[in-house]
Amino acid sequence: MTADASPEVEQRIRALGVEFRPYSIQRNAMSISSDRQTLTELRTALAELKPTTILAYTIKPIIWGGIAWRSSAARRCNETRFFALVTGLGYAFQGGSLKRRVLSTIVTKLYRTALRHATAVIFQNADNRDLFVERRIVDAAKCHVVSGSGINVAEFAQSPLSKKPPVLKIDGPAGPPHFLLIARLLGEKGIREYCRAAEQVKAKVPEARFSLVGPEDPSPDGISLEEIKRWHDAGTIHYHGATTDVRPFLQDCHIYTLPSYHEGMPRTVLEAMATGRPILTTEVPGCKETVQQGVNGWLVPKADADALAERMLWFIENRDQWQTMADASRKLAEEKFDVRIVNQQMLAIMGLE
């Protein structure tokens, strides 16, 4: 069960022999009527489908799915097990404004209600787990941590950083240094810091390239296309729009950058690691698990464009380190984040081995 999907996606799901059932859900809307509709549809679905095992992930499916399950006949008869996969904390838990603090209090109470009788709660990093335990949302004994959602290392094969012209005598890959960020257009993905850092770097290394790929997002934290267009038109970054396949962009870059404020486990970073790219990201939950400092990349403080620019310049000045870091990224992806490893961890937790 998910929100409405395109006919192509539905067809691919059904081809796997899986029944697909969409339901109404608005990921970013804060609407009582919309959420009530989601809860009603989930209650109806559980009554009709009578599942023995439920896995819900992301905030609204966990909250409304958990509450629907708690009130179901199957739950009352102990016939259904409920598992939650927390893929990140999201907008509500980041503090700051009064609106966010109020929202955080509401979401915390809803999580407690939804997860009170959950069989297990699975997190993608230990910091998120610790926060849920600290806020008494879930008992520590029910918590498990896995290495993100995993990455298909065959689908994201390692590719050369670039081909050096034989006559060009230079240490490391040739061509202008090319940084890439793939993200929904949200402030907390660090897009503004990325643009400001790019501006600083280009003042010293004008040929450096900075690409941005990703769709608009209706979240309260969303960045408008008009703002992105101003950076693009100034020549600071090149905005490529949204894409359904990130691989060509990853293969075309030298350094993958994600200056995010918070993550569960950033999928684009895992994809970049599997592709064989050095990583430049922030020292925050979710991101910091993907980098061995100085081995496959660097971590910088969040919301710090100056520190980001400083590390970008380090990469430019140390081209001879790129390939070593690229190989280390690929090795880490294979040994820790391979989807087969993560799936095995999930199946073991759910008793479905």
Side-chain angles (χ1 to χ4, degrees), residues 23-314:
Y23 67 101
S24 301
I25 185 166
Q26 294 185 32
R27 184 172 63 85
N28 293 306
M30 289 182 280
S31 163
I32 294 175
S33 60
S34 168
D35 290 340
R36 185 186 295 119
Q37 178 67 24
T38 298
L39 179 58
T40 299
E41 291 188 26
L42 286 171
R43 280 176 170 158
T44 300
L46 294 185
E48 293 176 359
L49 296 173
K50 298 179 173 60
T52 58
T53 302
I54 300 169
L55 173 63
Y57 67 96
T58 70
I59 179 170
K60 286 196 175 184
I62 290 174
I63 287 174
W64 303 125
I67 292 173
W69 166 71
R70 282 191 61 187
S71 62
S72 68
R75 152 74 181 89
R76 291 194 295 271
C77 297
N78 294 317
E79 295 173 353
T80 305
R81 301 180 307 150
F82 184 85
F83 298 88
L85 174 60
V86 179
T87 57
L89 299 181
Y91 177 83
F93 281 91
Q94 301 313 306
S97 66
L98 175 61
K99 178 181 177 181
R100 288 204 190 197
R101 293 197 298 273
V102 171
L103 183 60
S104 178
T105 300
I106 294 170
V107 170
T108 295
K109 290 180 178 178
L110 287 170
Y111 263 132
R112 282 186 192 137
T113 302
L115 298 176
R116 187 166 298 151
H117 299 291
T119 310
V121 182
I122 306 166
F123 298 86
Q124 296 191 335
N125 66 69
D127 293 85
N128 288 178
R129 175 203 59 197
D130 293 346
L131 180 64
F132 269 53
V133 172
E134 179 186 322
R135 293 194 177 194
R136 300 193 301 279
I137 294 173
V138 66
D139 189 89
K142 290 186 177 181
C143 296
H144 303 265
V145 178
V146 298
S147 301
S149 299
I151 184 67
N152 186 329
V153 295
E155 183 179 351
F156 286 84
Q158 184 168 4
S159 69
L161 280 166
S162 69
K163 293 181 179 179
K164 262 193 299 190
V167 295
L168 188 60
K169 295 181 179 180
I170 141 180
D171 290 329
H178 185 186
F179 296 83
L180 170 67
L181 165 59
I182 302 172
R184 288 176 288 127
L185 302 186
L186 294 169
E188 290 182 350
K189 292 296 182 181
I191 289 174
R192 292 187 178 96
E193 286 80 7
Y194 179 72
C195 293
R196 288 197 288 269
E199 201 169 43
Q200 291 183 40
V201 172
K202 288 181 77 70
K204 298 179 179 179
V205 188
E207 69 272 19
R209 297 168 57 201
F210 296 87
S211 290
L212 172 63
V213 175
E216 282 188 283
D217 193 287
S219 165
D221 188 47
I223 298 176
S224 69
L225 279 179
E226 289 73 21
E227 183 176 347
I228 297 298
K229 189 174 184 296
R230 288 197 293 272
W231 292 105
H232 175 93
D233 289 347
T236 305
I237 63 163
H238 186 99
Y239 176 57
H240 297 270
T243 183
T244 57
D245 186 359
V246 300
R247 287 173 295 182
F249 297 97
L250 290 171
Q251 292 162 5
D252 190 48
C253 81
H254 294 127
I255 312 298
Y256 185 73
T257 309
L258 180 65
S260 183
Y261 292 14
H262 56 88
E263 295 286 336
M265 184 67 67
R267 184 169 183 82
T268 59
V269 172
L270 302 187
E271 291 168 343
M273 290 167 64
T275 306
R277 293 297 180 268
I279 305 300
L280 176 56
T281 188
T282 41
E283 196 165 3
V284 300
C287 293
K288 65 184 181 182
E289 284 78 7
T290 66
V291 169
Q292 295 174 352
Q293 193 79 317
V295 177
N296 73 311
W298 294 103
L299 298 170
V300 296
K302 73 174 185 180
D304 190 335
D306 293 342
L308 189 64
E310 183 180 336
R311 277 302 172 191
M312 288 173 168
L313 288 168
W314 182 92

